[in-house]
Amino acid sequence: MSEGGHPDVILCPGGPMLLRGDHVVQDADGVEHHTTRPVSAVCRCGKSSIQPWCDGTHKVLPPKLRP
Amino acid sequence: MLIPKGRGSLSEALFEGMRTNRSTFTDVLTTLADDDADLHISLWALYEMHYRGFEDVDDSLEWHPELIELRRSLESTFEQELRDRQPEVEIKEPFAEALFDFIAGHDGASLAAFVQRDATTEQVLEIMQMRTIYHLKEADPTAFVVPRLSAGPKAALMELQYDEYGGGSPVRLHSALFVRGLEAMGLRTEYGAYIDDVPVEVLHDNNAMSLFALNRRLRGASLGHLAAFEATSSLPSRRMAQGLERLGLAPEMIDYYTEHVEADAVHEQLAVRTICGALVAEEPWLVPDVFFGAFTCLDLEDRFARRMLDEWAA
Ligand code: FES
């Protein structure tokens, strides 16, 4: 649900997916992770070392490999 | 915290006057600073009156007109110097990508890379002492900006600040995590404990944040500074954590940096997109100031890093 300019999910061009609120995210290995902060960043480039969360690694990828 | 030691004619006269709660500072107003360190420790102490103050200075001096006059005069000199350092920037569209690219394009010295690979335990301890000046009041300068914003950027900034302040839990406050790290490393944890030991570059950094945050007209620069700070934190924090691990240093301090890898990957997106993005959508004339704030953050961190690396001949 979005309340005028406050969407639950934001897709950042070339970067992560921001997720507002409390959620459980299942990573590629089937392990579940609870969000712990008001907004979480889910990795979309697959290269983060703290999956399923983004660690900023997408910024050092060549533009073609960014989500 | 007690008022710091003076670093020259101006700060010595000023601090003596503040400690003895003088009613007038006219003679201090006509005293010139001996050098940059003298100017910046004076300015730092004047700003600090708006944060936690000093145990040996009367709180009512916070709004003493002559001290405000002195602060204005020191900070306008400083602001001009900062503006003079900024190169011409060509601002492209869309705004968020342009700001991310501008930050990524700044090629500065990296203390984190040095810590990751080469620093000794002693050098890391030295860096931690320097970092206390900001990390013990982490997010506090930006908090002053909140009431100066319209609804969009204000709500967005609070979303980030709420996380900085531990989601309302005093033990999860970022500055409290840093305190635990300091304790575990055997360092002092009181606010301002190392102020007498830090080089002028640390004061520049700290004063720039207060300058931007305490002047409403500079709200764009304050949020631009925040954006650059957050956008240069995740990857360096991981390097810091790896360096601390390499040296077998306190897990509590490693946790502090690990927390910032994850938190700041979120915060950089919020700061650039939802905060600065919302600010310039409503006040487009602030775009150049956002870039000015971002440049200043990167430039001052670079000067600090160079200073330390030179000192260690690294
Ligand atoms: S999207 Fe940021 S590290 Fe993958």
Side-chain angles (χ1 to χ4, degrees), chain A residues 6 10 12-13 15-16 18 20 36-41 49-50 53-60 66, chain B residues 97 100-101 159 162-163 172 174 231-232 234-235 238 259 261-263 265-270 273-274:
Chain A
H6 200 242
I10 300 176
C12 303
L18 301 183
R20 284 196 164 105
T36 58
R37 50 187 80 253
V39 186
S40 307
S49 60
I50 53 165
W53 315 123
C54 165
D55 68 354
T57 300
H58 63 268
K59 291 192 289 184
V60 295
R66 293 185 202 167
Chain B
E97 276 59 41
F100 267 125
D101 286 350
E159 196 165 49
Y162 191 59
D163 199 23
R172 284 179 39 224
H174 279 176
T232 49
S234 267
L235 299 172
R238 187 171 64 197
E259 157 66 11
V261 174
E262 191 184 312
V266 181
H267 292 178
E268 66 178 350
Q269 299 296 339
L270 295 179
R273 295 175 195 282
T274 66

Side-chain angles (χ1 to χ4, degrees), chain B residues 248-263:
Chain B
L249 294 173
E252 291 84 347
M253 195 55 103
I254 297 173
D255 287 349
Y256 172 83
Y257 284 102
T258 316
E259 157 66 11
H260 281 77
V261 174
E262 191 184 312

